[in-house]
Amino acid sequence: MTSPTTGADPVIRVSDLQKHYGETRAVDGVTFEVAAGSVFGLLGPNGAGKTTTVEVLEGLRTPNSGEVRVLGVDVIRHPDALKPRIGVSLQNAALYPKLTVVEVLDLFRSFYPTGRPTDELVALMDLSEKRTTRTQDLSGGQRQRLSVALALVNDPELVFLDEPTTGMDPAARRSLWDVVLGLKSEGRSVLLTTHYMEEAEVLCDRIAIMDHGRILEEGTVDELISRRFHERAVRFDAIDGLSDEQLAAMPGVASLKHEDGEVLLYTGDVPATIGAVLDASEALGMEPANLGVRKPTLEDVFLDLTGRALRD
Ligand SMILES: Nc1ncnc2c1ncn2[C@@H]1O[C@H](COP(=O)(O)OP(=O)(O)O)[C@@H](O)[C@H]1O
Ligand SMILES: [Mg+2]
């Protein structure tokens, strides 16, 4: 990196961003900040406005209103000042179909005064066997990997990855996760969009949940979950002879439900509830089968926020 970002200045500062396409409010008042050296995720379903937001931040689209500072640059006024310092992996990158992997990497690198060697990027993105393959003959996952490699040619301090693992098999997805965590460990900042809960949970220091052009909630995974769900669920296979009244009176239990032959006890005190379940079943000469604790996930947060599931 040529000029590492230091101190507490956020690398991205977006304030009340609006981008409309005719009647469609693709981005409808979005505000957030991304701290230097962190991975920030925009999580939301198709059509949420993630790509539009990212493209404004990259200086590729002019918003209707709002303020956008990226690496201290006012992107709306000076998009060209930003471009050499960021890396961009577009969701549907046009990749010069007739050029090979190595040729397209060399071409992109020639746009910049300095950069990372092509061989290093080929190895990093696991494309060694495809060096001389034309981009039109790559699989979807290989194109995605090339697109990420292209985002890194100029050794950027801030990298934008728009749905980087869509179309990848699980192994490729995991190796891309390692690349993202590697960028972070080098002190770079990453803004990524995804509709995969697990990806957001694994990679992101902070997450903004987006839907219909708005950010519904922002925070760390733990914050997002604990803001909404104060209880965990203790679960076990239903036991004949344990009444709902008895279960509801157990210490910590706030509510309960039955689901597919299981009892779910929502509790603010997991150990006390488990202790009471064990005591009560022992009194009946039983042992609770499949006893476990279910922690709420980001999926539960999304469902609670929108009334819909965000399916992987
Ligand atoms: N160039 C465009 N012209 C018109 N509508 C668009 C354009 N790009 C995106 N949209 C609309 O804006 C909304 C947000 O799209 P997008 O930012 O691509 O969402 P996401 O990346 O979260 O799937 C969608 O309703 C989409 O149809
Ligand atoms: Mg998109």
Side-chain angles (χ1 to χ4, degrees), residues 1-295:
M1 274 184 299
T2 43
S3 53
T5 313
T6 52
D9 281 345
V11 285
I12 295 175
R13 195 175 258 157
V14 184
S15 180
D16 201 15
L17 182 66
Q18 302 256 356
K19 175 69 181 176
H20 308 159
Y21 298 109
E23 295 289 289
T24 307
R25 293 170 171 255
V27 181
D28 192 15
V30 157
T31 299
F32 66 93
E33 285 188 359
V34 177
S38 72
V39 179
F40 188 92
L42 289 177
L43 174 70
N46 279 335
K50 305 182 298 295
T51 295
T52 307
T53 301
V54 169
E55 288 182 352
V56 170
L57 300 183
E58 293 163 350
L60 301 175
R61 287 191 190 277
T62 310
N64 292 67
S65 62
E67 279 179 49
V68 182
R69 292 192 89 82
V70 177
L71 300 174
V73 175
D74 179 340
V75 183
I76 298 163
R77 293 212 179 79
H78 308 289
D80 291 337
L82 182 68
K83 281 175 190 156
R85 298 174 63 197
I86 61 172
V88 171
S89 168
L90 297 174
Q91 192 170 5
N92 298 302
L95 286 176
Y96 300 94
K98 301 286 177 200
L99 295 186
T100 68
V101 166
V102 164
E103 285 167 349
V104 77
L105 278 164
D106 284 341
L107 174 68
F108 272 56
R109 202 153 49 81
S110 73
F111 301 156
Y112 301 98
T114 59
R116 292 176 75 165
T118 292
D119 284 344
E120 195 181 301
L121 293 171
V122 163
L124 179 71
M125 294 316 298
D126 208 11
L127 287 166
S128 302
E129 283 168 24
K130 298 289 162 187
R131 294 177 56 87
T132 56
T133 303
R134 290 181 173 182
T135 68
Q136 66 188 13
D137 297 325
L138 296 175
S139 72
Q142 289 159 352
R143 293 171 63 84
Q144 285 290 104
R145 300 212 298 271
L146 176 57
S147 169
V148 173
L150 292 170
L152 304 178
V153 284
N154 57 329
D155 203 17
E157 50 198 293
L158 168 63
V159 185
F160 292 93
L161 303 174
D162 196 1
E163 305 239 6
T165 64
T166 298
M168 284 187 179
D169 61 47
R173 179 168 297 153
R174 268 159 212 288
S175 81
L176 185 88
W177 290 356
D178 287 339
V179 170
V180 172
L181 295 173
L183 293 170
K184 180 180 147 175
S185 72
E186 291 161 4
R188 295 170 219 267
S189 316
V190 178
L191 175 68
L192 67 86
T193 76
T194 186
H195 62 272
Y196 296 115
M197 295 284 171
E198 193 194 357
E199 182 159 292
E201 284 188 341
V202 169
L203 294 182
C204 299
D205 297 301
R206 299 185 75 82
I207 293 167
I209 297 180
M210 252 192 115
D211 198 20
H212 302 304
R214 291 171 176 271
I215 290 177
L216 304 178
E217 207 67 83
E218 193 266 350
T220 66
V221 173
D222 285 346
E223 285 169 0
L224 292 171
I225 291 171
S226 63
R227 234 176 255 158
R228 230 142 251 289
F229 300 101
H230 306 293
E231 292 116 21
R232 295 178 175 203
V234 169
R235 63 166 183 215
F236 52 92
D237 292 353
I239 295 173
D240 283 341
L242 266 187
S243 69
D244 281 0
E245 293 70 37
Q246 226 178 326
L247 293 166
M250 287 179 174
V253 172
S255 63
L256 70 93
K257 78 175 175 191
H258 293 269
E259 200 177 84
D260 304 327
E262 271 191 337
V263 178
L264 289 166
L265 299 177
Y266 293 93
T267 174
D269 189 344
V270 168
T273 301
I274 288 180
V277 169
L278 290 171
D279 289 346
S281 18
E282 199 185 308
L284 294 167
M286 312 271 289
E287 248 181 50
N290 296 313
L291 178 63
V293 180
R294 186 175 172 276
K295 207 178 139 191

